[in-house]
Amino acid sequence: MARVPSSVIAAGGLVGGYGVARWTKKRPLGGVVLAVAGAAAAQQWRAQAGAKAAGALSAAYVAAFAGSHPLAKKVGAWPSVLGVASAVAVASWAVADRRG
């Protein structure tokens, strides 16, 4: 069975977390999606690129989540979420997925 790349998991966690929170109107449920995807991506980052890289990518994931909020006030919610998810996906691919 093919493994899902960590870049896809991380981007999916950001987009999916926002989507679930928005459509269910239950922000904690979106947070669960965000956290589960982040933990799954972090496990792959550690296995593929080591603990230091996993820590940096995890910090980028959290920063993307936090940064999407003020960015959304400037460009809109979906463009913000898609932008930060893309940035995390590119970083994840460059640091971890490209090696595999």
Side-chain angles (χ1 to χ4, degrees), residues 46-67:
R46 185 172 180 180
Q48 291 174 288
K52 200 178 226 183
L57 288 168
S58 294
Y61 185 78
V62 171
F65 167 70

Side-chain angles (χ1 to χ4, degrees), residues 18-27 29-30:
Y18 174 69
V20 166
R22 181 170 179 145
W23 289 316
T24 65
K25 299 190 184 342
K26 297 183 189 314
R27 293 179 74 180
L29 189 55

Side-chain angles (χ1 to χ4, degrees), residues 35-79:
V36 168
Q43 283 184 327
Q44 282 195 27
W45 291 331
R46 185 172 180 180
Q48 291 174 288
K52 200 178 226 183
L57 288 168
S58 294
Y61 185 78
V62 171
F65 167 70
S68 70
H69 292 82
L71 182 60
K73 292 180 181 180
K74 295 183 187 320
V75 300
W78 277 112

